[in-house]
Amino acid sequence: MWLPRVLRTANFRLALSYAAVFGLSVFLLGVIVFFGVRASIEQQLRGEIEAEVGQLLVDYRDDGLEELRHDIRERIEANPARRLHYYMQSPDGRVVFDPLRAIPTPDGWHTVRVKAEGGKGARTSVLLRALTLDGGYKLAVAADLSLLHEAERAIRQAFGWAFLFTLVAGALGGLWIGQRFLAQVDEITRAADRIGKGDVAGRLPSRGTGDDLDQLAAVINRMLDRIQQLLESVRQVGTSIAHDLRTPLGHLRQKLEAMREDSVTPERREVLLDEALRQLDASLETFSSLLRIAEVESGSRRAGFETVCLSEVLESLVEVYQPVAEDNGQRFSANIHPSLQMRGDRGLLTQLFANLVENALRHSGPGSAIHLGLDVSDGGFAATVSDTGPGIDAAEYENVFKPFYRLDASRTRQGSGLGMSLVAAIASLHGLSLSLGDNRPGLKVTVTGATGPGGLRRG
């Protein structure tokens, strides 16, 4: 049954809270209107009574008590239906006009209960203004409060119904909102259950309304996209590891089996042993590279960042690889801006640029030229490693940073295919950008970084 679930939803409780707040607002508005209308009507009645008392006192002061009685009688006879009430009491306590046991004392304003006109035992309230005349006589003029009481009842009924309607509408609205909320939650739950059972391609549904649940679904879907990419990457890495290690391990087994033969001479056995060790070293290098990439991508090395002179790092690489290039029949040149510093891990930055230089040396071939540069602009820096070798197709630019990816599809060349993956991981850790371009001829790799707090500084 969906109703008990709706009653427990946060949306329903929130809707009820809003209904309660709005109901309280209606109640407070009713109180304000009630007392405002009451005060306005009462003020109006007081004004009428004051005006009437003023006219009667003028006649009384001009012509005496008898003229006052005459004026009151004329007023009663002229408007018997809707009139003010007039009371006069003699010094001995006898009431002359309308039935009132006694005019209240002291002089001033009073609210009293009197017998209603034409009612059998019915009583009504009047607002009365009492004052004492010469000779001990007392005069009172009053107005019926029935109109005020009717207005009060009308206001109480109107706002009572409004308050009740607010609560009922809030509860029904809460049920409706809660039911809609639960319907979308159920869809998300079912989709999440399918994803949890292995449907990594599944995504949470979105209604396109842009509400909180849609935004949450969009965030989770982006997370699932990333997870799917990582899973595919893991599968690809696993397949690549199996493919890359199967051949060297097969060769290693052949070497070991050959060493077991009795006809193998000690010299041949020594050669086979060296080849077996090389095969093992190549396999261990692959695993070491994978572990290093995982360590870099985890971000644990970021805690040890310090100020590193990038210029010195590149200059040290020039000293190391310039003789290697000469031995290979290649030309190695450099143009490095001096004394440029950045926050980072010196060992990892050295690894990054060493891998790029080694790739250029290995793939550009004899007679090529390799150049290492570092330029600075107001927005940051750009370090480049370029060569004049055969280069690679532009369609392969994004692929070279994938683990185990090789341009040599036959995988006959030595290497694990993890060098550029490690470069990409180190660059990401340091917030650097990598781009490949055509050097016309050859390949040009550009590493760029932006200046900022803790970033590049000029020494």
Side-chain angles (χ1 to χ4, degrees), residues 139-158:
L139 172 66
V141 178
D144 195 346
L145 294 178
S146 299
L147 177 63
L148 177 62
H149 296 329
E150 290 176 2
E152 290 176 347
R153 282 195 299 272
I155 292 173
R156 284 196 297 267
Q157 289 178 357

Side-chain angles (χ1 to χ4, degrees), residues 32-50 82 84 109 125-128 142-155:
I32 294 173
V33 171
F34 177 85
F35 286 103
V37 171
R38 178 191 176 101
S40 176
I41 295 177
E42 187 173 331
Q43 186 66 28
Q44 181 180 355
L45 294 177
R46 286 174 183 266
E48 293 178 3
I49 293 172
E50 285 285 5
R82 298 179 62 84
L84 296 174
W109 293 96
S125 297
V126 296
L127 177 65
L128 180 144
D144 195 346
L145 294 178
S146 299
L147 177 63
L148 177 62
H149 296 329
E150 290 176 2
E152 290 176 347
R153 282 195 299 272
I155 292 173

Side-chain angles (χ1 to χ4, degrees), residues 122-435:
R123 302 183 68 82
T124 185
S125 297
V126 296
L127 177 65
L128 180 144
R129 171 77 163 85
L131 66 157
T132 303
L133 304 177
D134 297 337
Y137 280 88
K138 298 189 72 174
L139 172 66
V141 178
D144 195 346
L145 294 178
S146 299
L147 177 63
L148 177 62
H149 296 329
E150 290 176 2
E152 290 176 347
R153 282 195 299 272
I155 292 173
R156 284 196 297 267
Q157 289 178 357
F159 280 94
W161 283 109
F163 180 74
L164 181 61
F165 173 79
T166 301
L167 293 181
V168 173
L172 294 178
L175 289 173
W176 179 70
I177 294 174
Q179 194 274 335
R180 292 191 61 192
F181 175 79
L182 277 182
Q184 190 172 4
V185 169
D186 287 341
E187 292 180 8
I188 293 176
T189 301
R190 288 192 294 268
D193 184 59
R194 290 194 302 269
I195 295 170
K197 291 179 179 178
D199 182 16
V200 294
R203 294 296 179 265
L204 299 185
S206 174
R207 296 181 299 175
T209 59
D211 58 12
D212 293 342
L213 286 179
D214 270 5
Q215 294 178 21
L216 178 61
V219 171
I220 294 177
N221 285 338
R222 287 196 296 270
M223 180 185 68
L224 291 173
D225 290 339
R226 179 58 178 163
I227 291 174
Q228 186 176 7
Q229 293 175 2
L230 293 175
L231 289 175
E232 291 176 355
S233 177
V234 169
R235 283 196 291 265
Q236 178 187 355
V237 169
T239 303
S240 299
I241 290 175
H243 190 277
D244 276 25
L245 294 184
R246 181 176 181 178
T247 299
L249 290 178
H251 291 166
L252 176 61
R253 178 180 177 82
Q254 292 176 2
K255 301 297 186 297
L256 294 176
E257 288 180 347
M259 291 173 60
R260 295 178 59 185
E261 296 179 1
D262 296 335
S263 61
V264 177
T265 64
E267 292 79 7
R268 178 57 179 167
R269 184 175 286 107
E270 189 71 22
V271 172
L272 292 174
L273 180 59
D274 291 340
E275 292 179 357
L277 289 175
R278 281 196 297 271
Q279 297 288 348
L280 284 176
D281 289 340
S283 301
L284 291 175
E285 182 182 355
T286 299
F287 285 109
S288 298
S289 298
L290 287 172
L291 291 174
R292 192 165 180 79
I293 292 173
E295 178 187 14
V296 172
E297 290 181 341
S298 69
S300 60
R301 297 288 290 271
R302 190 178 287 113
F305 275 13
E306 59 184 0
T307 301
V308 178
C309 182
L310 185 60
S311 301
E312 292 181 358
V313 171
L314 298 185
E315 289 168 357
S316 65
L317 292 177
V318 174
E319 295 177 1
V320 172
Y321 288 104
Q322 204 163 39
V324 177
E326 293 177 357
D327 292 341
N328 294 340
Q330 298 167 318
R331 299 185 305 277
F332 192 105
S333 60
N335 183 15
I336 300 173
H337 196 289
S339 304
L340 294 178
Q341 299 178 344
M342 65 172 292
R343 293 285 298 176
D345 185 297
R346 185 182 185 91
L348 292 179
L349 291 172
T350 302
Q351 179 82 65
L352 185 154
F353 289 101
N355 282 13
L356 293 178
V357 172
E358 288 178 359
N359 275 346
L361 292 172
R362 181 182 304 114
H363 298 292
S364 61
S368 62
I370 294 93
H371 180 77
L372 176 61
L374 175 62
D375 297 321
V376 177
S377 63
D378 293 336
F381 73 93
T384 58
V385 178
S386 59
D387 63 69
T388 58
I392 62 175
D393 294 335
E396 301 287 351
Y397 285 171
E398 294 184 0
N399 295 328
V400 296
F401 296 108
K402 295 180 180 179
F404 295 101
Y405 184 82
R406 296 186 193 178
L407 296 174
D408 176 23
S410 61
R411 297 179 180 261
T412 57
R413 294 184 182 180
Q414 187 178 2
S416 63
L418 295 172
M420 295 299 284
S421 299
L422 182 58
V423 167
I426 296 174
S428 177
L429 180 69
H430 288 81
L432 306 177
S433 299
L434 287 170
S435 63

